[in-house]
Amino acid sequence: LAMPVASETGEAAAETTVGDSAQADAPSAEPEPAAKPTPRPKAKKRARKKKSSKTGTGQAQSTEAPPSTAVQPVSQPAAEAPAPPAAEAPEKPAATLRSGLAKTRKGFMARLNDLLFSRSSVDEDLFEEMEALLVTADMGVRTSTRLLEALRNTQTSDPEAVRSKLQELVRGTLELECPPLPSGGQPTVLMVIGVNGVGKTTTIGKLASQFTGEGKRVMLAAGDTFRAAAVEQLQVWGERAGAEVVRGPDKADPSSVVYEAVQRARREGFDVCICDTAGRLHTKVNLMEELKKVRRTMDKAHSGSPHEVMLVLDATTGQNAITQAKQFKEAVDVQSIALTKLDGTAKGGVVVAICDELQIPVRFVGVGEGIADLRPFDPDAFVDALFERPSTND
């Protein structure tokens, strides 16, 4: 039993020995296994090369990608080149007083010219028709009557002379003394009032933009604490104009907000402080009393303020604007008027009625929606634009 085991072991040993001897006896065969590992890496290299050759196109594309990537910064600005026109859009020319009066010129002046130049002589019938025309242009009964009396006294029979005289009378009505806004007191405090919907907050934003454009530091007081989103609207305008805004908690007392704004404007050396107020209905006596309180608070915060009370009126409301102005004037002594939306009405004659009946100068007129479309009021330019003969370009 031991012999087979030994023989098996011997055979195994023999096999091992034979294997060793075979390797020793066949040296030429030995290099092949040794050489095979060498070719194998070469084969792998070839495979890589082949692979690379197969993907050579892809590598070429990837090698070409960096140039295209390097060009993108050049091409991107080219793609963004159209952006500047969009940025330049707000810089479009501001609306002019002439363009703002286009509707009035087409209506009032066109009818006036038709009336005057359809007559060969001047008589009482002409004056009566002219009076009706002036009233419909929102000059009001009182102002229209005064102008017609002056025209009758000219005793002329030339329709063109009547037109020239009317232009002269309107110019004289509008030429009220309107001194420049006070400056140098640091800050100049403006109290802006008006009913809801006339464009009061928007007017404040445009004013702030004008002042900051002159290099002045502007503070805005969000005193309209009752109208929904009024404070947020003023903040948006403050950001656009580069002005700081002082606000209080929701439903805060307007007087406290205004007091804090004026005090801070004094401490920090601001040039102008514009105070927004609640758009109170002029028919509410208690609410008008609140405006009086706000004005007294301003004087406590900065003696002598407000330096000007500016009333904002909507030109499209016509004679109702005059009613509003009378009530506000009695409550807080209005010193100037900003007339908005003049471009949206065909009844620009309300400017003449306001100056004639209230003797309050118009300081600003709004002739468009742009931030630069709140223009200083120039009586001469207004009359020239109003009486300019309508053309097909209007």
Side-chain angles (χ1 to χ4, degrees):
L1 293 171
M3 289 298 293
V5 175
S7 62
E8 288 177 2
T9 305
E11 289 174 2
E15 289 175 0
T16 303
T17 305
V18 170
D20 295 336
S21 63
Q23 292 176 358
D25 295 337
S28 60
E30 175 68 19
E32 291 180 5
K36 286 179 182 178
T38 304
R40 281 177 188 170
K42 291 180 181 178
K44 288 181 181 179
K45 290 181 180 178
R46 292 193 192 99
R48 288 194 187 109
K49 289 181 180 179
K50 288 181 180 179
K51 185 176 181 180
S52 64
S53 64
K54 289 181 181 179
T55 59
T57 305
Q59 288 181 350
Q61 291 175 348
S62 63
T63 54
E64 291 175 0
S68 63
T69 304
V71 174
Q72 283 180 359
V74 179
S75 61
Q76 284 176 353
E80 292 175 357
E88 293 174 1
E91 298 178 3
K92 64 180 181 180
T96 63
L97 190 57
R98 181 187 178 282
S99 63
L101 288 171
K103 291 184 178 180
T104 298
R105 191 163 50 249
K106 283 182 179 180
F108 166 65
M109 287 311 302
R111 292 196 298 272
L112 180 62
N113 288 330
D114 290 343
L115 175 62
L116 289 173
F117 300 123
S118 63
R119 303 295 184 92
S120 57
S121 63
V122 177
D123 53 22
E124 187 59 30
D125 290 340
L126 173 63
F127 288 130
E128 289 181 0
E129 292 185 44
M130 283 184 64
E131 184 174 9
L133 182 57
L134 295 176
V135 171
T136 57
D138 265 349
M139 288 192 187
V141 175
R142 173 181 167 178
T143 303
S144 300
T145 301
R146 184 182 66 80
L147 293 175
L148 264 296
E149 287 178 356
L151 288 175
R152 287 186 177 96
N153 292 334
T154 58
Q155 297 180 348
T156 180
S157 59
D158 182 7
E160 180 63 37
V162 172
R163 184 181 187 279
S164 298
K165 181 62 177 179
L166 177 61
Q167 183 173 351
E168 178 185 336
L169 291 170
V170 171
R171 191 188 308 273
T173 303
L174 297 176
E175 289 177 341
L176 299 177
E177 184 179 0
C178 188
L181 289 171
S183 60
Q186 264 191 354
T188 297
V189 180
L190 302 181
M191 179 181 181
V192 183
I193 60 178
V195 301
N196 288 333
V198 297
K200 177 165 53 67
T201 305
T202 300
T203 298
I204 292 173
K206 292 179 179 181
L207 281 174
S209 178
Q210 289 186 13
F211 288 130
T212 56
E214 296 170 0
K216 296 179 179 178
R217 294 184 66 200
V218 180
M219 175 79 73
L220 303 181
D224 189 354
T225 59
F226 292 95
R227 182 171 67 86
V231 174
E232 288 75 11
Q233 182 185 5
L234 190 67
Q235 284 185 312
V236 171
W237 274 107
E239 292 175 2
R240 291 182 64 185
E244 293 194 34
V245 178
V246 172
R247 61 173 295 176
D250 292 339
K251 306 299 181 183
D253 179 18
S255 296
S256 65
V257 176
V258 169
Y259 184 86
E260 172 60 27
V262 175
Q263 281 277 303
R264 183 180 162 192
R266 286 189 65 192
R267 290 193 308 266
E268 301 181 14
F270 279 77
D271 300 296
V272 182
C273 180
I274 308 176
C275 301
D276 192 8
T277 58
R280 297 315 195 183
L281 295 174
H282 56 284
T283 54
K284 301 294 183 180
V285 177
N286 59 325
L287 301 180
M288 297 297 282
E289 289 298 323
E290 184 179 285
L291 285 179
K292 295 179 183 179
K293 176 185 174 183
V294 171
R295 176 166 184 159
R296 292 193 299 268
T297 301
M298 291 180 183
D299 185 55
K300 292 178 182 179
H302 183 27
S303 181
S305 65
H307 300 99
E308 181 157 309
V309 178
M310 184 180 296
L311 173 63
V312 181
L313 296 175
D314 181 347
T316 63
T317 60
Q319 292 298 300
N320 189 41
I322 297 177
T323 303
Q324 293 173 22
K326 289 179 179 179
Q327 296 292 332
F328 278 111
K329 184 179 180 182
E330 291 176 4
V332 288
D333 189 24
V334 177
Q335 279 115 14
S336 67
I337 288 173
L339 192 65
T340 64
K341 308 176 188 179
L342 190 60
D343 59 315
T345 180
K347 299 181 177 182
V350 68
V351 181
V352 184
I354 289 172
C355 292
D356 183 48
E357 293 193 33
L358 303 175
Q359 292 297 299
I360 301 175
V362 175
R363 186 177 289 279
F364 295 101
V365 289
V367 292
E369 297 179 358
I371 198 168
D373 291 335
L374 184 70
R375 313 299 297 275
F377 180 67
D378 182 347
D380 290 330
F382 179 88
V383 173
D384 291 342
L386 180 65
F387 280 84
E388 180 182 332
R389 296 182 186 275
S391 65
T392 55
N393 294 329
D394 283 337

